[in-house]
Amino acid sequence: MPDLDTETAADTAAAPLAGIRVIELARILAGPWAGQLLADLGADVIKIEHPEGGDDTRRWGPPFVEGADGENLSAAYYHSTNRGKRSVTIDIATVEGAKAARDLISSADVVLENFKVGGLKKYGLDYGSLKPDNPALVYCSITGFGQTGPYAPRAGYDFIIQAMTGMMSITGEPGREPQKAGVAISDIFTGLYSVIAIQAALRHAERTGEGQMIDMALFDTQAGILGNQNLNYLVSGSAPVQMGNAHMNIAPYEVFPVSDGHVIIAVGNDGQFQRFCKLLGATGMAADPEFQTNPLRVAHRERLRAELIAEMSSWNKADILAACEANAVPAGPINNIAEMFADPQIIARGLRMDLTDGAGTEIPSVRAPIILPASPLHYDRPSPRLGEHTQEVMAELEAIKSKGKRT
């Protein structure tokens, strides 16, 4: 484990990954998303950034976070994925910078990087070069297409990955332009799977003293998270298609219009369907032989939808949602993001939080969706300013060197 100063160790003692040091050679989203969650879990995540500009997302705005004195503290995008880290500015393309990065890694448990395949070898920062000096090192490489296969040399972009893996072919309305998801889900899910893999590799290193290189690919992740749609194809031989808001395997499970907007109705079983018909007063639908089971409702979904729209046309959103809740029928409103943050459940769960930096600027954030009562996550600082911790981290490194060993 790395040497940590007394204050840092005390602050993170109860966190699950306290004492783990991570060197993040990653930028944009997938790698930093993994690094942020590792920091939330208590790891000391040191983000190495280029002295001129740092992570690209610092400039991906507007909007930008503004300091108390009007200083530009980087784009909101950057702050969404770099909470809790320490920023060190190093130009790894120089001999001195590459050596400084290697020295830092010699004091670390994990390296997290998202360069192109082989991109760090020329700096001596690839796994093969680092392993002899740190045999227990867990090295997580995130690329678009992985370390092997015909596409391995290609750069990976979430948008293109969503297209190539079939995600866009099942997103959007029938007959309309294929659609990507509203956030970069390939990147975000790859970040999450990377954290799972890193924790498993750390457990292996703890047992055996041996590290390993983790090969994470956006392409693999996006293909894997298609879930039931993958099995729908593998079992039936028919590729799923765009169905708008409808569900391929369940009905009624989609958006329905009411008198003042739209609501979600998500009926998952026959009992729920009968209760829904009852609250609507639709006795004919409840008794219709073509609607008695989910497979029958799926087979007759067009007529089912038309009749439900007619039955729901006189209802408003508030009344139908209240009736559904009272009768245990799954339903919900369609909120925008502002409405989501104002939702009483979001407020009760404390998803929104504000973190204050060393200069007194409050920076908004969203906590990780993990609650561990016995070993809580910690949120002790917002995203760092560029190079904010360079002197601090380098002083720690010199202290470690003077002891002549990792502790």
Side-chain angles (χ1 to χ4, degrees):
M1 297 296 174
D3 253 1
L4 297 174
D5 61 88
T6 303
E7 180 180 353
T8 302
D11 288 346
T12 62
L17 296 183
I20 297 296
R21 176 166 287 178
V22 179
I23 305 302
E24 181 185 297
L25 285 160
R27 57 206 185 281
I28 313 300
L29 185 50
W33 193 265
Q36 177 170 266
L37 183 52
L38 291 168
D40 290 345
L41 290 166
D44 176 20
V45 179
I46 298 171
K47 183 180 181 73
I48 294 180
E49 300 187 75
H50 194 281
E52 297 181 7
D55 192 312
D56 296 357
T57 60
R58 287 183 179 275
R59 299 174 294 283
W60 283 14
F64 293 91
V65 174
E66 187 174 293
D69 59 356
E71 179 186 2
N72 183 335
L73 299 183
S74 299
Y77 194 121
Y78 167 80
H79 289 282
S80 75
T81 189
N82 286 288
R83 173 182 61 234
K85 304 173 187 178
R86 297 195 284 173
S87 173
V88 172
T89 49
I90 296 175
D91 183 358
I92 63 170
T94 67
V95 173
E96 298 80 7
K99 182 181 183 303
R102 288 194 297 272
D103 287 346
L104 274 175
I105 291 167
S106 71
S107 75
D109 302 281
V110 178
V111 167
L112 181 61
E113 63 93 357
N114 63 352
F115 282 68
K116 287 184 180 180
V117 172
L120 288 174
K121 188 171 184 178
K122 58 188 174 183
Y123 309 123
L125 296 172
D126 59 303
Y127 178 63
S129 298
L130 297 169
K131 180 180 178 181
D133 189 49
N134 192 349
L137 181 67
V138 171
Y139 189 102
C140 182
S141 177
I142 300 175
T143 59
F145 296 94
Q147 301 293 313
T148 60
Y151 301 158
R154 296 185 185 180
Y157 298 91
D158 178 277
F159 193 2
I160 295 171
I161 298 292
Q162 287 194 43
M164 292 180 69
T165 54
M167 176 67 188
M168 290 178 63
S169 76
I170 57 172
T171 305
E173 296 180 348
R176 301 290 296 275
E177 180 179 276
Q179 292 291 310
K180 66 178 180 64
V183 294
I185 58 172
S186 303
D187 278 314
I188 289 175
F189 271 95
T190 303
L192 296 178
Y193 275 112
S194 295
V195 171
I196 295 168
I198 287 168
Q199 291 179 108
L202 285 170
R203 183 71 180 99
H204 175 80
E206 182 182 279
R207 290 198 311 266
T208 68
E210 296 180 359
Q212 58 188 298
M213 178 174 172
I214 301 168
D215 177 5
M216 298 297 303
L218 273 65
F219 191 76
D220 297 356
T221 298
Q222 182 61 70
I225 64 171
L226 295 185
N228 62 295
Q229 295 284 38
N230 282 338
L231 268 291
N232 286 336
Y233 165 69
L234 292 174
V235 171
S236 71
S238 298
V241 297
Q242 292 170 298
M243 295 185 64
N245 290 309
H247 195 291
M248 185 175 190
N249 303 108
I250 312 171
Y253 198 98
E254 55 190 293
V255 173
F256 287 94
V258 290
S259 63
D260 59 347
H262 294 82
V263 295
I264 297 284
I265 301 297
V267 168
N269 60 50
D270 299 336
Q272 291 172 357
F273 180 72
Q274 291 297 318
R275 294 196 297 276
F276 186 45
C277 290
K278 183 177 180 180
L279 74 87
L280 291 175
T283 54
M285 292 187 69
D288 193 312
E290 292 186 345
F291 299 155
Q292 293 307 294
T293 67
N294 181 69
L296 287 170
R297 291 191 295 276
V298 169
H300 300 93
R301 69 165 72 240
E302 291 185 9
R303 186 166 73 86
L304 174 69
R305 175 175 172 79
E307 293 191 19
L308 283 174
I309 288 174
E311 295 286 350
M312 297 167 66
S313 62
S314 61
W315 289 76
N316 63 39
K317 290 187 289 186
D319 288 347
I320 199 165
L321 291 174
C324 285
E325 184 172 358
N327 288 275
V329 175
I334 303 171
N335 292 333
N336 63 31
I337 292 177
E339 291 167 332
M340 180 271 287
F341 276 114
D343 190 290
Q345 184 67 14
I346 291 288
I347 295 170
R349 298 288 288 178
L351 269 293
R352 159 74 187 269
M353 60 183 183
D354 294 319
L355 301 174
T356 304
D357 72 4
T361 300
E362 282 198 349
I363 299 176
S365 194
V366 180
R367 74 164 176 84
I370 298 172
I371 295 177
L372 296 172
S375 53
L377 281 67
H378 76 106
Y379 308 99
D380 62 346
R381 55 177 164 238
S383 307
R385 300 177 186 217
L386 181 61
E388 179 179 348
H389 304 96
T390 301
Q391 293 183 352
E392 172 184 295
V393 170
M394 290 307 176
E396 290 176 11
L397 181 59
E398 288 304 314
I400 293 171
K401 285 181 179 180
S402 69
K403 294 181 180 181
K405 62 179 181 178
R406 298 176 73 241
T407 59

